[in-house]
Amino acid sequence: MRGFVFGLITASALVLAADKSSSGPDEVSLPENYQDEFLNYLDVDHLDRKRVRKMYVNREAHAAAVAGEDLPDGTLLIMEDHDATTDADGNLVWGDDGRLIALDAITNIFVMEKNAAWTTANGHWDYAWYLPDGSPRPDASFDGCFSCHANRADRDFTFTYWKFVSDRKR
């Protein structure tokens, strides 16, 4: 009888494990045409890095997002890095709007995706890092993504988008 119960428990555990999708950067894809299809909800000037970060969210998730609640399954957040324009002496150049001027060239693309089938250290979020040509960065490490976003558990592990959703509802 004991062997039968152990076998049942083991079989149940295997069935449950088979139901879960594995996550990982290979599961987080870079959507084609995201610059046209997604909402560019924020640009962030990083003075210390001489960089401009453009933040995007897929429109379906944006339409379903509710202030104060976890973001909907299927949310895709993209952070696109651009070097800022500098003068001949390496000083930052400012636009008429008081913001840094981003160069057209992309230096890095980071994708954060929420999938309810995944279980990660950050809830159901996983991360990927892409090169400007859209190929995955081969030497990418995601420990920094997980550790940095971990301190935003109360904002569903996000920084700027959670705040954006909260602000738009006021």
Side-chain angles (χ1 to χ4, degrees):
M1 180 68 169
R2 195 156 119 190
F4 175 75
V5 170
F6 179 74
L8 250 155
I9 291 170
T10 302
S12 297
L14 289 172
V15 167
L16 287 174
D19 277 346
K20 291 233 178 215
S21 292
S22 63
S23 61
D26 54 321
E27 298 293 323
V28 179
S29 61
L30 178 63
E32 289 185 31
N33 301 319
Y34 70 88
Q35 293 168 320
D36 297 323
E37 303 293 328
F38 283 34
L39 172 67
N40 175 210
Y41 68 91
L42 180 68
D43 290 350
V44 178
D45 295 338
H46 277 281
L47 304 179
D48 58 328
R49 296 180 183 174
K50 296 184 178 181
R51 181 166 294 150
V52 177
R53 287 189 153 165
K54 296 181 176 288
M55 308 296 190
Y56 297 86
V57 61
N58 57 322
R59 292 185 187 276
E60 301 81 12
H62 181 64
V66 176
E69 294 183 15
D70 283 351
L71 296 171
D73 185 40
T75 298
L76 280 161
L77 300 174
I78 297 176
M79 182 172 68
E80 187 182 83
D81 278 355
H82 296 258
D83 287 334
T85 302
T86 56
D87 64 19
D89 295 325
N91 298 311
L92 292 167
V93 175
W94 302 88
D96 292 338
D97 60 357
R99 307 288 309 269
L100 294 179
I101 300 170
L103 295 173
D104 288 336
I106 298 169
T107 59
N108 287 292
I109 306 166
F110 303 94
V111 181
M112 181 175 177
E113 182 175 354
K114 185 173 189 177
N115 185 323
W118 301 337
T119 301
T120 70
N122 290 355
H124 300 288
W125 291 98
D126 212 340
Y127 309 91
W129 186 351
Y130 290 89
L131 297 171
D133 67 2
S135 63
R137 184 173 172 125
D139 60 344
S141 172
F142 302 99
D143 294 342
C145 300
F146 282 102
S147 63
C148 190
H149 285 264
N151 71 12
R152 292 293 189 256
D154 62 332
R155 294 179 172 196
D156 199 14
F157 301 98
T158 68
F159 286 88
T160 60
Y161 188 64
W162 180 271
K163 177 87 168 87
F164 182 79
V165 170
S166 297
D167 288 349
R168 78 173 181 172
K169 297 293 182 175
R170 290 184 189 168

